[in-house]
Amino acid sequence: MLKIFGAAGSGSVPIEAMLTLLQIPYEVVEAVTWDSETARQLVETVNPLRQVPALVLPTGEIMTESAAIMIYLADLHPQAKLAPGINDPKRAQFLRWMTYVSAAIYALVWIVDDPTRIVAEKTQAQSVIAPLLDRRADCWRMMDEQIAPGRYILGDDLSALDLYVAVISRFNPGRNRFYRSAPKMAEIVRRVDADPRLTAFWARRYPFDAGWEK
Ligand SMILES: N[C@@H](CCC(=O)N[C@@H](CS)C(=O)NCC(=O)O)C(=O)O
């Protein structure tokens, strides 16, 4: 069975959502890395970066990096059409935006979660966060301006990219700002939030609690 080192409300959630849609059983090793040194040490046994998600394949091989894991799983199960195939004209934009969300937006979490990683003076830490959150919002805006979506980002079929954006857009500065920055994708993430196949999953792994849009 697949094993994922992950946490509710983290970057493991879009992978878990994919596995749910694919109806593939998996086990989660819950590790809230941003909250506890014990969790980071647990994850370090599989990922020296001490970050979730980390996927343990049935062979024991380890895979990290959320976008890569999602692309890999989608390609392994082409019948589910969660990624355009290698010769599909949509493939280039799929790869482009999966990598963009990971590299330009998600990766900033390393500083946002703990600015003292780059700021010597603890008193200056807060001043680092606002520009990073502005940068995230601006990256969503630039992506939104360059896509021509249908019901979903790449057209009329749900793909791994929609699941990825639906989750990462909930990270700070939060969904309300995302809706303003990315009006086209705002409609799409709401559609993903409301997907009846994922209702129980979201409730368990990233609940829509009061005030969740921030
Ligand atoms: N590039 C990685 C980023 C993973 C990441 O930043 N994970 C966060 C949780 S959402 C984490 O584990 N942070 C703990 C830390 O960096 O100390 C990916 O896309 O999988």
Side-chain angles (χ1 to χ4, degrees):
M1 193 187 307
L2 291 172
K3 191 195 277 187
I4 297 189
F5 285 70
S10 81
S12 68
V13 171
I15 299 167
E16 298 172 40
M18 254 185 104
L19 291 169
T20 303
L21 292 179
L22 291 168
Q23 299 182 314
I24 294 174
Y26 61 94
E27 179 195 336
V28 178
V29 178
E30 192 72 9
V32 186
T33 44
W34 59 94
D35 223 26
S36 109
E37 178 59 21
T38 313
R40 285 190 286 276
Q41 281 171 6
L42 176 65
V43 173
E44 195 174 8
T45 60
V46 289
N47 180 8
L49 269 71
R50 312 196 329 159
Q51 291 180 333
V52 292
L55 180 69
V56 187
L57 297 172
T59 55
E61 188 184 343
I62 307 293
M63 202 175 170
T64 62
E65 298 307 318
S66 52
I69 293 169
M70 295 182 81
I71 296 166
Y72 173 74
L73 290 174
D75 286 351
L76 268 190
H77 302 280
Q79 74 293 347
K81 295 191 178 1
L82 287 174
I86 219 146
N87 293 314
D88 189 312
K90 295 187 165 127
R91 181 76 176 181
Q93 294 308 303
F94 171 70
L95 294 177
R96 174 188 182 191
W97 296 123
M98 288 297 292
T99 304
Y100 178 93
V101 171
S102 166
I105 299 171
Y106 184 7
L108 300 180
V109 76
W110 192 76
I111 309 171
V112 171
D113 274 1
D114 182 3
T116 61
R117 281 170 165 160
I118 60 154
V119 174
E121 284 297 319
K122 271 204 164 143
T123 48
Q124 290 173 353
Q126 280 311 311
S127 65
V128 171
I129 294 181
L132 288 176
L133 299 187
D134 289 347
R135 169 69 178 169
R136 271 197 176 150
D138 209 33
C139 284
W140 287 126
R141 175 191 63 75
M142 289 186 273
M143 177 176 175
D144 204 66
E145 284 174 0
Q146 292 177 81
I147 57 170
R151 283 174 53 75
Y152 294 101
I153 298 172
L154 298 173
D156 285 329
D157 298 318
L158 173 87
S159 77
L161 178 62
D162 302 294
L163 297 171
Y164 202 28
V165 171
V167 172
I168 304 301
S169 63
R170 293 180 64 174
F171 294 1
N172 287 328
R175 267 290 184 80
N176 281 329
R177 183 143 179 213
F178 173 82
Y179 296 148
R180 291 196 298 277
S181 305
K184 289 186 245 171
M185 289 194 286
E187 252 183 70
I188 292 165
V189 292
R190 287 185 170 111
R191 189 165 288 127
V192 177
D193 296 342
D195 190 316
R197 296 169 299 172
L198 292 170
T199 309
F201 173 78
W202 293 134
R204 205 162 31 84
R205 298 302 284 159
Y206 212 160
F208 302 111
D209 292 334
W212 70 273
E213 285 165 308
K214 290 180 194 161

